[in-house]
Structures are given as structure tokens and as C-alpha cells.
Amino acid sequence: MRNVAVIMGGYSSEYKISLTSGGVVCANLNSEKYNIYPVHILKEKWACVLDEKEYPIDKNDFSITIDNSKINFDVVFNAIHGTPGEDGLMQAYFELLEIPHTSCDYYQSALTFNKRDLLSVLKPYGIQTATSCYLNLGDEINVDEILNKVGLPCFVKPNKSGSSFGISKVKTKEEFLPAIETAYKEDNEIIIESFLDGVEVSVGVISYKGKTLVLPMTEIVSENEFFDYEAKYLGKSSEITPARISEELRLKIELVSKKAYETLKMKGFSRSEFIIVNNEPYMLEMNTVPGLTNESILPQQAREGGITLPELFGNAIEEALK
């Protein structure tokens, strides 16, 4: 029996969502095959939580001690959305400790978590993106120059954040600076993108049984202005899997998604967002620790593709252990 640590929580605004994801992973892993240890990674403590008891993590070797018996982990299932689980910090730590984990390597994690850098790396490979500008906290803000480049409406987003926290759709010049302030509450870097008017699709790509597998894609229809936090988590959207697009377009997006995954030498889970404009997919971002609750998009896509949650999560562990 392998000892599996399922890490969840994190230091970002997404920690509650991550705790839910981690709980679903623990509930769906095969307990006859794995010893499952839920581990909460929080700013104030790292602890394994079993039967409402907490066992502190020894950060020297990522182990716990129960009844004077030391337990080491054979593999880590990463269910932390945002920092430090999706930006490379935990990945680098586990690499130093030589503990296998289910997410991609630390460089890929750091790169994909930074929207600006991800899109810059993928552009030379023919992957299309929105027109964009970037700001660092403290930069002089030339509103007219930025809006002349990206146009109105536009999106103002934290550069390194998930779950749509801090994102604003800006329709007028007067809304621009307040949107900048909102984004800076989440991150010290901002990306400003032109509005792409088209169909939004979310595409899961995973390592499955040793091969890159593109899952059935999901069409996002938000009741709000865009796929914001309410739309994503509070039922203000329709997520239609498989997406209502032509077979020709589906194959084109599959090709682009697989190319991005393999170009970046990804591992484990990924979920990329695209806007389709004039039958061309424009990439917005790639998430490497996507939501894993029963209602989350990637599990929906897996089910549509004939993969149960125990199969999805068990495969991630077996791929990591290879």
C-alpha cells in the first residue's frame, strides 16, 4: 500500500475551493490500494488531518509522526489552487526531497501561473492570444496609451491569480483605474487584454496511461458579463460538455491544446481557456491544478470521456510514480 499525501488549502483566495477539491480526491481514491492522508497546507500551519486530529508536518522531509511512528509519503497528490501549489513552490520543494507528485514540474508551474510569460512563450508556436499590455505595481499608468492599444471594452486581470478573483471587464475610460486598483489587491502584476467577442471553451488535457489525452471540451455560457467568480462557483453560468461547436473546429482546438501541453513539456492535469473568434481559438490561460470537485469542469470532461473520478485520480498517482 502506497502512502499518498493529498495536499490542499494554500495561501491564496482560493484555499476554500482547494479544501473542497482535496476532500473529493480523498473520497475517490481507492483506499484498498492507497493509504490516504489529507494534508492542509496553510500559512499558519502544515498538518495532516485524520479523524479531526492534526499531526504537524515535519518540513525537513515532509513526514508526520503518529503514535511515535514516523510516516513518509511515497507520492503527493497536489490539489492546491494558487500559491504555493500552482506556482512552482511546492513542486520545487518536492523535487528537492525527491518525492513524486501529480502536478507538472516547478518551471512549468511557475510559467503557466504567470499569464504574461505563458502567452509570450506560446506565441512563437502559432498559438494566438488577445492584444495585451502589462503593468507592475508602481508603474506609471498612461491610460490613453493603454486603451488605444487594447481598445474598449477590455479586461483587467491579476497576472498571477486564479478563480477569477480581481478581474474586471472595463467598458469606459472612467472604469479603468478602479479596475486597476481591484486587480492590484490580488497581485503586484497586471495583464490588460482586449475583449474577444466569441464563444468561450475550456479544454482539459491530461497525461493518461502514458499518453497526452485531450478531454471533451466544455462551452462556458455565463449569465454575468464574463466567467467571473459567481459564474464559476455560484451557479451563474451554464457549462455545456461537449461544447456545441463543429467537428472541424473541435479538432483544431484539440490540436492547439495538445501542442501547448506538449510544447511546455507538461505533466498531470491542465485546463486551458480559449475564446473562439471567426473560427480561430485565442488562448487566455492554462491552469495546472484545476478544480477537482464533482461539479468542476475537468471532472465533468473526464466523465463525458468515460473516465470516473477514481480512475482519473488513480491514474494521476500512477503517472507520478512512473
Side-chain angles (χ1 to χ4, degrees), residues 55-296:
Y55 302 92
I57 293 285
D58 182 342
K59 293 182 184 179
N60 292 298
D61 59 1
F62 199 71
S63 65
I64 55 172
T65 300
I66 299 178
D67 298 331
N68 295 318
S69 176
K70 185 182 175 80
I71 296 171
N72 292 101
F73 300 110
D74 299 301
V75 63
V76 173
F77 193 109
N78 182 6
I80 297 177
H81 316 311
T83 188
E86 201 168 3
D87 58 359
L89 295 177
M90 296 303 292
Q91 288 84 349
Y93 169 69
F94 291 130
E95 186 158 326
L96 286 170
L97 293 177
E98 298 184 344
I99 301 175
H101 57 85
T102 58
S103 45
C104 56
D105 292 335
Y106 70 92
Y107 169 73
Q108 283 79 0
S109 298
L111 177 68
T112 51
F113 198 66
N114 187 308
K115 297 180 182 77
R116 175 191 65 195
D117 293 356
L118 168 70
L119 299 174
S120 298
V121 166
L122 290 176
K123 254 183 189 172
Y125 292 91
I127 293 170
Q128 300 189 75
T129 64
T131 302
S132 55
C133 290
Y134 309 99
L135 290 173
N136 295 320
L137 187 62
D139 282 356
E140 184 183 336
I141 303 170
N142 188 323
V143 176
D144 290 330
E145 188 179 303
I146 293 169
L147 295 183
N148 283 339
K149 182 178 180 183
V150 300
L152 286 171
C154 65
F155 282 102
V156 177
K157 307 176 182 179
N159 190 39
K160 307 184 299 292
S161 174
S163 291
S164 302
F165 288 111
I167 298 181
S168 302
K169 184 177 181 181
V170 174
K171 297 177 182 175
T172 66
K173 184 176 176 180
E174 290 69 34
E175 294 173 348
F176 186 70
L177 289 177
I180 295 282
E181 287 179 29
T182 299
Y184 274 142
K185 287 175 186 172
E186 292 292 328
D187 190 13
N188 59 6
E189 297 174 9
I190 289 177
I191 179 170
I192 302 146
E193 292 181 325
S194 60
F195 171 62
L196 296 171
D197 192 6
V199 175
E200 181 168 356
V201 292
S202 188
V203 189
V205 185
I206 63 173
S207 306
Y208 192 73
K209 297 183 178 178
K211 295 183 178 176
T212 302
L213 176 66
V214 182
L215 297 170
M217 58 194 71
T218 300
E219 180 182 344
I220 308 294
V221 183
S222 176
E223 292 174 25
N224 293 353
E225 284 280 354
F226 61 97
F227 196 44
D228 60 6
Y229 184 87
E230 273 195 338
K232 202 170 277 189
Y233 298 109
L234 303 178
K236 296 276 188 173
S237 69
S238 300
E239 296 162 3
I240 301 160
T241 311
R244 300 168 299 180
I245 57 176
S246 69
E247 180 70 1
E248 180 187 4
L249 186 52
R250 181 185 68 78
L251 291 171
K252 181 187 281 189
I253 297 170
E254 275 191 7
L255 199 65
V256 170
S257 303
K258 187 175 181 182
K259 184 179 186 180
Y261 188 94
E262 293 183 340
T263 295
L264 297 174
K265 296 184 170 64
M266 289 291 297
K267 296 176 187 172
F269 300 126
S270 79
R271 198 193 72 228
S272 297
E273 317 303 326
F274 293 89
I275 301 283
I276 303 164
V277 181
N278 298 325
N279 272 351
E280 291 295 329
Y282 288 75
M283 189 180 218
L284 300 179
E285 63 181 7
M286 181 187 287
N287 302 282
T288 58
V289 187
L292 298 171
T293 69
N294 290 302
E295 298 77 28
S296 296

Side-chain angles (χ1 to χ4, degrees), residues 307-320:
I307 302 169
T308 65
L309 289 189
E311 287 169 340
L312 183 70
F313 300 150
N315 172 78
I317 287 172
E318 295 308 316
E319 288 287 301

